[in-house]
Amino acid sequence: MKLKIFTLRLNPATGLFDEGELANFQSGKDVIEISEHFLVHEKTPTLLLVLR
């Protein structure tokens, strides 16, 4: 089983998470499962995604 972990930090200027790296990774792959975890690290909202 292969896993890939993405850490996306909230961009304070746009209020959005940059999903560019995630979109590039998914191209040509079948993602079976995604687990998401939200946390605040050093006052920055952060989204952690684990793809299987």
Side-chain angles (χ1 to χ4, degrees):
M1 168 175 46
K2 293 185 179 184
L3 298 174
K4 177 73 175 174
I5 299 171
F6 289 91
T7 304
L8 308 174
R9 290 175 180 81
L10 185 72
N11 182 331
T14 64
L16 302 171
F17 293 99
D18 181 11
E19 300 174 4
E21 184 182 356
L22 178 62
N24 289 338
F25 173 79
Q26 289 184 65
S27 178
K29 295 181 179 67
D30 293 325
V31 177
I32 297 170
E33 181 181 5
I34 299 176
S35 299
E36 62 181 63
H37 306 277
F38 180 81
L39 58 111
V40 177
H41 178 69
E42 295 181 358
K43 299 183 182 179
T44 302
T46 304
L47 183 61
L48 176 74
L49 300 173
V50 180
L51 280 64
R52 183 174 82 111

